[in-house]
Structure formats: C-alpha cells, structure tokens
Amino acid sequence: MTSDHDVVWSRCAHLGRVLLPLVDQEPWRQARRHDNLQAWGIDTVAGERLIKIFAALAAHAVAADASVSAAEFDALPLGAVADAATGKPDFELLAGLPDTFADDRDGQAVNLFRLYAYKGDQSSLQLIRLGTELRHALVVLAERSLIPSPTCGDVFRRAAEAGLPH
C-alpha cells in the first residue's frame, strides 16, 4: 500500500518531469538553457536532470511546510515552489524525503543533488545557478497561465493537454 507521503513525492517528481517539456514548447528556451548550462560547465543531460529533481525537491519542501496531503497537492501555488527554489537552503530541500524512490532515477538524482549540496565550493555555485534556472522556468509557466495564481494542478492539466506522459 502506498503512503500519502509517497504519493506526495510522486506528484512532486511528476511536476519535475513535465516542467522542462512545457517550457520548451518555445524551442528557443531549450537552446538558451543548454547554452547557460554549457557556459557554467554543467553537462546538459546532468544539468537538466538536476533541474527536474530540484523542482521536485522544491515542491516537496513547500508541501511539507504546509502539511499538504496528496489530495491537496494540486492546489499548491506555483509561485511558492518558485520561491522555495531560490529561497530555501539546499539542505532544507532534502529534509523529509522518502527512504526509497519508486523510480531509481529519482533516487540517483537526489543523491547527486545531495552531493552538490554538501560538497560546497563550485558545486554550491552550480546549485545556485540551477535554482535560478528552475525559478525562471516556473515563472515562464506562471506567466503563460491565464489565471492569476497558477497551481501545480494547472501545470498538470497543461501537461495532459500537451500529451506529456503521466
């Protein structure tokens, strides 16, 4: 049986997976992000995976702070997730994660994020840059929304409309 906490994490991970494909509906955005990652010395594939898991971690931190259940997750404001991406210390984003992950790639990406967070020096700078890139992606999605304060549920609806996997 899946716990509510595990379902919340799976919703957070899903947000991370659909974020960049939604932003990349304007193809030039992907090219700009790739240019930024390369300029920062971050491998494009690893950088995008870290942005996706960063989004999941930020959403998870906001959900945990607000004691949001899985049933309430879709109402989580996108702006709060964007604020957490750049406003919370990296180690706070790692608090309260599941012990195991249904998707091994999530576990690997969390471990890479954890390594970056605790390594310090250049790695910490890379996380700051990735957090800024994540915040930018979330702001782009919020600005595209027709409603004033879009939520995670609005992102999921747009992902479904775009035919992205659930």
Side-chain angles (χ1 to χ4, degrees):
M1 184 138 193
T2 307
S3 73
D4 193 62
H5 184 255
D6 291 338
V7 175
V8 168
W9 170 256
S10 72
R11 299 297 283 163
C12 295
H14 181 62
L15 178 69
R17 283 190 294 276
V18 300
L19 176 70
L20 294 180
L22 285 174
V23 169
D24 292 349
Q25 288 179 337
E26 298 169 301
W28 64 269
R29 291 194 184 275
Q30 182 182 51
R32 186 198 58 84
R33 183 176 59 254
H34 288 181
D35 288 346
N36 285 345
L37 292 171
Q38 289 172 356
W40 297 331
I42 301 173
D43 175 76
T44 303
V45 172
E48 288 192 342
R49 185 66 189 132
L50 280 168
I51 290 169
K52 291 174 185 179
I53 206 66
F54 208 140
L57 292 169
H60 188 265
V62 172
D65 287 351
S67 299
V68 170
S69 70
E72 302 165 320
F73 184 83
D74 284 9
L76 205 65
L78 208 54
V81 177
D83 290 344
T86 55
K88 284 194 167 285
D90 304 331
F91 62 88
E92 282 187 25
L93 296 176
L94 294 166
L97 292 177
D99 294 329
T100 59
F101 299 92
D103 186 334
D104 288 338
R105 293 172 301 167
D106 289 346
Q108 292 168 354
V110 166
N111 286 337
L112 181 59
F113 185 94
R114 189 175 280 128
L115 177 67
Y116 270 56
Y118 291 115
K119 192 174 180 184
D121 298 333
Q122 186 67 17
S123 298
S124 292
L125 176 60
Q126 301 297 35
L127 284 181
I128 291 169
R129 290 172 170 161
L130 292 169
T132 302
E133 194 69 31
L134 168 59
R135 181 178 180 77
H136 176 74
L138 291 166
V139 167
V140 165
L141 288 183
E143 287 175 348
R144 283 186 194 161
S145 179
L146 300 176
I147 58 174
S149 273
T151 63
C152 291
D154 295 321
V155 172
F156 295 145
R157 280 187 286 286
R158 288 169 59 192
E161 289 168 4
L164 297 175
H166 186 61

